[in-house]
């Protein structure tokens, strides 16, 4: 089995089919109103004299994320400045079109929406919410989405309210963590976030136990898997762990985020977020960037010709956008104090990312460029960009860990000089991005495969454990081909990596893996994303999430 770069030539043609043919990751009942849960949302219009365009412009995507969470709806966001909304929605082949306005009424605001049945042209419903201030407009989307989910899609128990909730008392910001060696912790004041939804007791399964002194993993045992996912999953990230051993995770396809919950040995679908067809997820990770104890979701996308990153914050039911249009490729690494910190790199010219690596800081609204690292990004291997970047303590000191463009695993000094290079190949990616001008001779643009960085955990004796996929290139050993892949746990010993645990090579592609909690302990969980069947059309694709236990 091997990657097939030619299939990506049809990505633009198939993008619409990918989005419009999305099958929810969970089964939903037919709505009481008789409408399927597929709807297009047009850009909202402002009828206020004040300049509230920035707020109004984000309402469609925020409303979309709430409808996906509440009703499992498949939402198409229509672009601004294009065709008439009715025409664009019909081309998208959805049955419903939602259009909205924001008006100033006295000292408050009114958010009004109408939904049209495109088959008959008749109104399907009208919904509104009142907001006391501009800031309250976004808060009232919970009211609006709850009404829509209940009246159109028959979802009972949706969020409903008749008045804006009273503001919560502000909590004092936690004290800033002391600077650490190698990478300083993320700065920025704490921002309050909604609490996670109450957990449900999982099926009986032994939770991770405290490791015995010097415990070293010796095997990975598969204990569960998700249902089939009709997409190609390109990676997976563990989010916050809940009570009773539960863990929330997110996997991603080309333009869809799939949220699941691990309960015992079950991997159960929760919700999903679908971006517009011109979005392409390049990397997804998680870190607590605002110091409130809850991880934010960080996603880097190719949007048209631009690299843009987004921050999603956890709410009661799902994640919603808290910051967007961040012009950096983001990676999350572990610093010398064992904390997860965010590293960013600017957009390049010849390459999609180049230049210095920066510590990113949260200013309460977005991630901004902080202190630059002394790493030399003009020399190999870091001149190849931020893809495949990790970090940890190796041999008593903090160092970079890097998967290079040939899928060799390297350990680098803080300045970027290689001190170890593996013979085996790890972290190869099956997904790619196309960049730069079209080469008329080769009849394609430059293709960059999205290799993965290793996941680092504290190990026995201060020796870090690395979780990553290994790739068997086969007899031909071609750069863009593969025969089999597997998961391995490597430990840094005496200046090189020694394999401590792993699974057998399989003729399917492991695209990513993560620890469910850190540090890895005896019986601790590992989640992996696996492509079981590639495809040139949406219906041909098949992936799963596999759950392993380290013993």
């Amino acid at each position: 089995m091997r990657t097939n770069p030619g299939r990506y030539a049809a990505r633009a043609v198939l993008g619409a089919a990918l989005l419009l043919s999305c099958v929810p990751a969970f089964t939903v009942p037919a709505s009481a109103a008789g409408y399927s849960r597929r709807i297009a949302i047009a850009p909202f219009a402002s009828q206020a004299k004040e300049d509230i365009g920035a707020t109004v412009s984000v309402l469609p995507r925020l409303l979309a994320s709430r409808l996906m969470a509440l009703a499992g709806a498949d939402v198409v966001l229509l672009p601004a400045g294009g065709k008439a909304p009715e025409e664009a929605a019909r081309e998208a082949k959805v049955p419903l079109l939602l259009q909205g306005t924001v008006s100033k009424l006295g000292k408050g605001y009114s958010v009004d929406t109408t939904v049209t049945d495109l088959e008959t042209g008749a109104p399907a419903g009208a919904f509104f919410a009142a907001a006391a201030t501009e800031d309250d407009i976004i808060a009232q989307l919970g009211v609006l989405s709850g009404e829509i989910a209940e009246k159109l899609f028959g979802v009972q128990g949706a969020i409903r309210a008749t008045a804006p909730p009273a503001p919560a008392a502000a909590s004092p910001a936690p004290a800033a963590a002391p600077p650490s060696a190698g990478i300083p912790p993320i700065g920025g004041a704490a921002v309050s976030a909604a609490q996670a939804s109450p957990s449900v007791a999982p099926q009986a399964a032994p939770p991770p136990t405290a490791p015995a002194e010097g415990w070293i993993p010796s095997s990975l045992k598969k204990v569960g898997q998700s249902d089939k996912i009709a997409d190609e999953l390109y990676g997976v990230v563990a989010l916050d762990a809940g009570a009773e051993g539960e863990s929330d995770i997110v996997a991603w396809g080309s333009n869809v985020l799939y949220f699941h919950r691990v309960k015992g040995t079950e991997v159960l679908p929760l919700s999903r977020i679908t971006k517009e067809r011109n979005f392409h997820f390049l990397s997804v990770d998680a870190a607590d960037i605002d110091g409130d104890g809850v991880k934010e979701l960080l996603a880097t996308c190719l949007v048209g010709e631009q690299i843009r990153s987004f921050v999603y914050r956890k709410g009661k039911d799902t994640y919603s956008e808290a910051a967007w249009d961040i012009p950096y490729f983001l990676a999350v690494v572990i610093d010398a104090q064992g904390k997860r910190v965010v590293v960013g790199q600017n957009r390049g010219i010849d390459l999609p990312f180049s230049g210095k690596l920066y510590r990113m800081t949260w200013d309460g609204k977005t991630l901004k460029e902080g202190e630059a690292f002394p790493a030399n990004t003009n020399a190999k291997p870091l001149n190849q960009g931020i893809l495949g970047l990790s970090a940890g303590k190796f041999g008593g000191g903090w160092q970079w860990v890097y998967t290079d463009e040939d899928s060799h695993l390297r350990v680098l000094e803080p300045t970027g000089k290689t001190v170890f290079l593996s013979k085996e190949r790890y972290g190869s990616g099956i997904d790619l991005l196309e960049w730069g001008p079209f080469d008329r001779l080769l009849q394609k643009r430059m293709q960059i495969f999205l290799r993965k960085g290793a996941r680092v955990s504290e190990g026995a004796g201060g020796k870090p454990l690395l979780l990553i996929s290994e790739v068997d290139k086969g007899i031909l050993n071609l750069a863009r081909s593969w025969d089999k892949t597997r998961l391995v746990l490597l430990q840094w010993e005496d200046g090189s990596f020694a394999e401590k645990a792993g699974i057998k090579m399989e003729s399917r592609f492991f695209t990513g893996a993560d620890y469910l909690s850190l540090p890895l302990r005896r019986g601790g969980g590992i989640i992996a994303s696996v492509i079981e069947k590639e495809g040139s059309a949406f219906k041909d694709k098949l992936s799963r999430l596999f759950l392993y236990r380290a013993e």
Side-chain angles (χ1 to χ4, degrees):
M1 191 172 188
R2 62 184 182 85
T3 62
N4 182 10
R7 67 194 173 94
Y8 292 92
R11 183 185 294 276
V13 177
L14 296 170
L18 173 65
L19 180 61
L20 302 176
S21 303
C22 283
V23 178
F26 50 92
T27 303
V28 293
S31 71
Y35 295 114
S36 67
R37 301 186 187 192
R38 301 178 62 240
I39 188 170
I41 301 179
F44 276 48
S46 172
Q47 297 182 356
K49 293 182 180 180
E50 296 86 350
D51 183 10
I52 59 172
T55 299
V56 172
S57 65
V58 303
L59 297 184
R61 63 174 159 226
L62 296 182
L63 182 59
S65 67
R66 285 155 175 77
L67 291 177
M68 292 177 199
L70 291 172
D74 188 0
V75 182
V76 176
L77 292 176
L78 303 179
K83 298 178 180 179
E86 292 83 357
E87 181 181 358
R90 287 191 175 94
E91 288 184 358
K93 298 181 180 179
V94 293
L96 299 173
L97 169 65
L98 184 147
Q99 299 179 84
T101 61
V102 180
S103 306
K104 184 70 179 291
L105 297 175
K107 295 183 179 180
Y109 295 87
S110 177
V111 183
D112 297 86
T113 62
T114 59
V115 180
T116 303
D117 184 334
L118 294 173
E119 183 177 356
T120 64
F127 309 90
F128 75 93
T133 64
E134 181 181 350
D135 291 340
D136 193 41
I137 292 175
I138 294 178
Q140 291 307 302
L141 287 186
V143 180
L144 199 61
S145 57
E147 292 283 349
I148 295 170
E150 181 173 333
K151 297 294 179 60
L152 289 184
F153 303 137
V155 176
Q156 300 299 318
I159 302 171
R160 299 187 66 178
T162 57
S171 301
S180 60
I183 300 180
I186 295 175
V191 178
S192 62
Q195 298 297 318
S197 57
S199 58
V200 181
Q203 291 185 353
T209 58
E213 183 67 27
W215 173 77
I216 297 174
S218 58
S219 66
L220 293 176
K221 180 182 178 181
K222 182 180 174 184
V223 294
Q225 66 181 32
S226 71
D227 292 335
K228 297 177 182 179
I229 300 172
D231 199 353
E232 290 182 356
L233 297 183
Y234 299 132
V236 63
V237 171
L239 302 171
D240 286 302
E244 304 296 332
E246 291 184 5
S247 297
D248 287 349
I249 60 175
V250 60
W252 67 94
S254 180
N255 69 325
V256 186
L257 298 175
Y258 298 92
F259 294 85
H260 286 69
R261 176 165 294 163
V262 177
K263 296 171 60 177
T265 59
E266 294 183 294
V267 184
L268 305 174
L270 289 178
S271 61
R272 66 182 182 180
I273 295 175
T274 303
K275 302 295 289 184
E276 298 93 320
R277 62 180 66 100
N278 64 323
F279 280 68
H280 180 188
F281 285 111
L282 306 180
S283 177
V284 178
D285 217 320
D288 177 13
I289 63 174
D290 57 18
D292 66 353
V294 179
K295 289 180 183 177
E296 280 70 45
L297 182 62
L298 312 174
T300 296
C301 298
L302 181 67
V303 187
E305 299 293 325
Q306 301 294 323
I307 298 292
R308 289 290 183 268
S309 290
F310 300 78
V311 175
Y312 291 86
R313 178 170 286 141
K314 187 175 184 179
K316 181 178 180 181
D317 300 301
T318 187
Y319 282 76
S320 59
E321 285 183 13
W324 48 88
D325 287 342
I326 303 170
Y328 295 85
F329 191 107
L330 302 179
V332 176
V333 303
I334 294 178
D335 71 2
Q337 302 302 316
K339 297 179 180 179
R340 297 170 69 86
V341 297
V342 183
V343 176
Q345 189 174 37
N346 277 306
R347 176 184 183 272
I349 298 176
D350 296 331
L351 293 172
F353 23 76
S354 66
K356 294 182 179 181
L357 300 170
Y358 295 96
R359 176 175 61 90
M360 305 299 290
T361 61
W362 179 254
D363 67 357
K365 294 182 179 180
T366 189
L367 282 171
K368 291 191 173 181
E369 178 183 300
E371 180 183 352
F373 296 101
N376 184 359
T377 55
N378 294 320
K380 282 189 175 183
L382 291 182
N383 65 340
Q384 300 164 359
I386 194 173
L387 280 175
L389 191 69
S390 308
K393 277 189 174 181
F394 293 81
W398 180 91
Q399 299 184 77
W400 297 110
V401 186
Y402 190 74
T403 306
D404 66 23
E405 64 179 352
D406 295 319
S407 300
H408 294 294
L409 195 60
R410 297 174 181 252
V411 176
L412 315 175
E413 292 179 348
T415 59
K417 180 181 178 181
T418 298
V419 296
F420 171 79
L421 174 66
S422 70
K423 294 181 180 179
E424 298 79 12
R425 286 185 166 89
Y426 301 98
S428 295
I430 199 169
D431 190 23
L432 58 79
L433 69 93
E434 296 182 342
W435 189 261
F438 185 79
D439 189 318
R440 295 184 180 278
L441 180 62
L442 299 177
Q443 288 296 298
K444 64 180 181 180
R445 302 166 71 193
M446 178 172 59
Q447 296 180 333
I448 301 172
F449 279 76
L450 301 173
R451 59 190 184 274
K452 299 298 173 62
R455 298 292 185 181
V456 182
S457 171
E458 176 186 344
K463 301 175 181 178
L465 287 168
L466 268 63
L467 172 65
I468 197 167
S469 62
E470 182 182 359
V471 177
D472 180 2
K473 293 290 186 179
I475 298 176
L476 296 179
N477 197 30
L478 297 176
R480 302 309 186 202
S481 68
W482 59 279
D483 284 347
K484 298 178 181 180
T485 64
R486 68 184 186 124
L487 288 184
V488 293
L489 278 171
L490 309 175
Q491 190 165 40
W492 182 252
E493 293 182 347
D494 301 324
S496 63
F497 288 114
E499 182 179 325
K500 297 301 178 180
I503 65 173
K504 294 181 179 180
M505 283 285 185
E506 300 184 24
S507 56
R508 46 190 167 188
F509 203 91
F510 283 79
T511 57
D514 200 6
Y515 306 105
L516 291 184
S517 60
L518 289 172
L520 180 65
R521 302 180 183 276
R522 187 191 304 272
I526 289 172
I527 193 73
S529 53
V530 184
I531 294 178
E532 295 189 332
K533 184 178 180 182
E534 297 178 76
S536 58
F538 183 83
K539 64 180 181 180
D540 297 327
K541 300 175 183 179
L542 176 61
S543 300
R544 292 182 192 269
L545 295 168
F546 287 176
L547 179 63
Y548 294 89
R549 185 174 296 139
E551 301 291 353

